[in-house]
Amino acid sequence: MVNCKEKCLESMEARYGFFASSERVEKFCERVCNNVRLHWSGPVHGEDALLFHVLPVLMDIHGKDNYWFKSCFRDIDVYFHRRINNVEIDVMITFIKEVHKPRLYRIILELKETDLAKLVEQLLVRRKYGTWAYGVISLHPNTVLRMLMSNPDRLRVLVDYGIGLIALYGEIPVVILESVRRKTPGTLEDILDKILEPFLKEENT
């Protein structure tokens, strides 16, 4: 069984090093782990287990009030291998963020051990289903950077579509690119709510 708090502490201490207040990191990890619910009946292993290394970092990036820089997330739901319109998403994370009013946000993840080309290809197909989208790959950050520099078109696609990329250094997540919130004319969040609501209701019953 994966120890959520242990993985969270490792990730956050690596992210901030000696700049991090141990008390603040402890409270943050307690908030993440106490609010997360996994929607998956089987064991979590292989590529899926990469989630637990990156979840704290994602909530640290996207679960804060951008003005006060305080965590304002709750009700984190994690769905493994969700199918939407015949497209399977490795991991979909939904959470409530309370700034001016509570709002549902979604982060989608595609997980790969080493195949960066396949990872980018799958993310492009699935990008529209998440507020933010990330590829997570179990390669050294230097290796990932070399691969991106050797193929500028692939890097440009990630930037143009606001897709983030996280490499794992051992078990430590290193954010190569941060995902940018997806915006389209007419309220994207409302559109996504309509698309995904039936699937989420079905999962919660």
Side-chain angles (χ1 to χ4, degrees):
M1 180 66 181
V2 177
N3 186 318
C4 174
K5 188 173 180 181
E6 180 182 301
K7 296 300 179 188
C8 179
L9 289 170
E10 289 175 1
S11 296
M12 297 310 295
E13 286 169 2
R15 180 168 169 79
Y16 291 109
F18 61 86
F19 292 104
S21 158
S22 57
E23 182 180 353
R24 181 174 294 180
V25 169
E26 183 92 13
K27 286 182 178 178
F28 173 81
C29 289
E30 285 179 0
R31 180 167 186 154
V32 171
C33 296
N34 290 342
N35 275 276
V36 69
R37 294 174 294 196
L38 301 181
H39 298 268
W40 181 244
S41 56
V44 178
H45 53 74
E47 292 176 347
D48 294 340
L50 299 177
L51 164 77
F52 295 98
H53 301 293
V54 302
L55 177 62
V57 173
L58 293 174
M59 298 314 302
D60 185 47
I61 294 171
H62 298 298
K64 284 181 176 176
D65 178 331
N66 293 329
Y67 183 80
W68 296 105
F69 293 100
K70 291 183 178 179
S71 297
C72 55
F73 60 84
R74 62 177 172 85
D75 299 343
I76 307 167
D77 287 284
V78 179
Y79 303 87
F80 290 93
H81 304 291
R82 298 293 294 143
R83 294 195 70 84
I84 301 174
N85 296 336
N86 290 323
V87 174
E88 183 177 286
I89 297 171
D90 283 349
V91 179
M92 183 171 67
I93 302 165
T94 69
F95 65 97
I96 302 295
K97 185 174 178 180
E98 297 180 303
V99 182
H100 303 296
K101 62 179 182 179
R103 185 136 202 160
L104 179 70
Y105 292 92
R106 300 177 183 85
I107 303 173
I108 63 168
L109 304 179
E110 287 299 310
L111 313 173
K112 284 285 178 286
E113 292 287 347
T114 58
D115 194 341
L116 181 60
K118 186 68 173 177
L119 181 65
V120 173
E121 178 186 325
Q122 291 179 337
L123 282 164
L124 289 175
V125 174
R126 293 154 177 78
R127 177 63 179 102
K128 61 186 176 182
Y129 296 116
T131 314
W132 298 282
Y134 281 87
V136 181
I137 192 162
S138 189
L139 289 174
H140 193 286
N142 288 346
T143 302
V144 176
L145 286 170
R146 282 196 299 270
M147 294 168 76
L148 290 174
M149 292 301 103
S150 66
N151 191 332
D153 289 340
R154 186 175 294 154
L155 176 58
R156 181 180 294 277
V157 163
L158 291 173
V159 173
D160 287 349
Y161 282 81
I163 295 171
L165 188 61
I166 298 175
L168 290 180
Y169 178 53
E171 294 188 345
I172 302 303
V174 177
V175 180
I176 306 292
L177 287 172
E178 257 186 45
S179 179
V180 177
R181 181 174 171 179
R182 187 174 186 273
K183 295 180 180 179
T184 58
T187 57
L188 170 69
E189 304 300 337
D190 293 338
I191 294 169
L192 287 174
D193 286 342
K194 289 178 182 177
I195 293 173
L196 296 177
E197 185 178 9
F199 298 97
L200 297 177
K201 282 183 176 178
E202 178 185 338
E203 185 69 26
N204 284 319
T205 54

